[in-house]
Amino acid sequence: SLTMVKIFVGNLPREADQDEIKALFTEYGTVTECAIIKNYAFVHMDDRKAATKAIKNLHLYKLHGTPINVEASHGKNQGSVKLHVANVEKGADDELRALFEEYGTVTECAVVKNFAFVHMSNSDEAMDAIKGLDNTEFQG
């Protein structure tokens, strides 16, 4: 399942056009949509890692001499995310939940065999959790 990530691009110079903005972001991953509204734009990418990389690298990038503002768009309608966590010992539910709750709201946490599913209510929180907890050992 693809995560659609919406990126806000602000402080666009007047000369900026859709194709060149799309081209900038395409260097980091697949751009599914790109729309310019006045002096800002919204770019949709289909991969969280790619979007994060694009945001890091393109923030304050000089487009026609103007540093553009690139950040993750925080929409009100951000749906919940289901995370798959591998190598979890049975019975580690509470420990796992506590770790993810440091990053945001956990709506569900279930250990099945040696992996777990963690549901988080906000995709940005989930993204930060994945980054922070990548390769953490979950032992009971």
Side-chain angles (χ1 to χ4, degrees):
S1 65
L2 296 174
T3 7
M4 194 279 287
V5 188
K6 194 174 181 182
I7 301 165
F8 172 81
V9 186
N11 198 36
L12 283 183
R14 203 160 292 178
E15 309 93 317
D17 67 49
Q18 219 165 299
D19 290 340
E20 72 182 330
I21 292 168
K22 190 172 179 175
L24 273 180
F25 283 86
T26 302
E27 284 181 38
Y28 299 94
T30 307
V31 173
T32 52
E33 209 180 303
C34 175
I36 295 179
I37 304 133
K38 290 176 186 148
N39 65 334
Y40 61 93
F42 282 109
V43 176
H44 292 191
M45 293 185 79
D46 68 3
D47 180 74
R48 177 62 72 181
K49 268 179 151 171
T52 305
K53 205 170 176 185
I55 291 164
K56 276 189 191 144
N57 287 285
L58 295 174
H59 183 56
L60 301 180
Y61 173 90
K62 285 200 170 91
L63 191 60
H64 301 286
T66 305
I68 55 174
N69 177 28
V70 181
E71 55 190 70
S73 172
H74 301 284
K76 283 186 189 70
N77 59 344
Q78 288 206 315
S80 62
V81 182
K82 184 175 179 181
L83 306 176
H84 180 272
V85 187
N87 305 317
V88 180
E89 284 193 359
K90 215 160 167 49
D93 310 55
D94 293 342
E95 184 197 354
L96 192 66
R97 178 184 279 269
L99 279 168
F100 278 89
E101 277 178 342
E102 288 177 27
Y103 296 89
T105 310
V106 175
T107 49
E108 201 185 317
C109 175
V111 177
V112 187
K113 290 180 182 143
N114 65 333
F115 60 91
F117 288 110
V118 179
H119 294 242
M120 294 188 75
S121 60
N122 179 292
S123 55
D124 285 325
E125 293 171 354
M127 174 184 89
D128 290 339
I130 293 165
K131 279 195 299 207
L133 298 171
D134 193 31
N135 295 324
T136 305
E137 298 283 318
F138 297 113
Q139 257 101 38

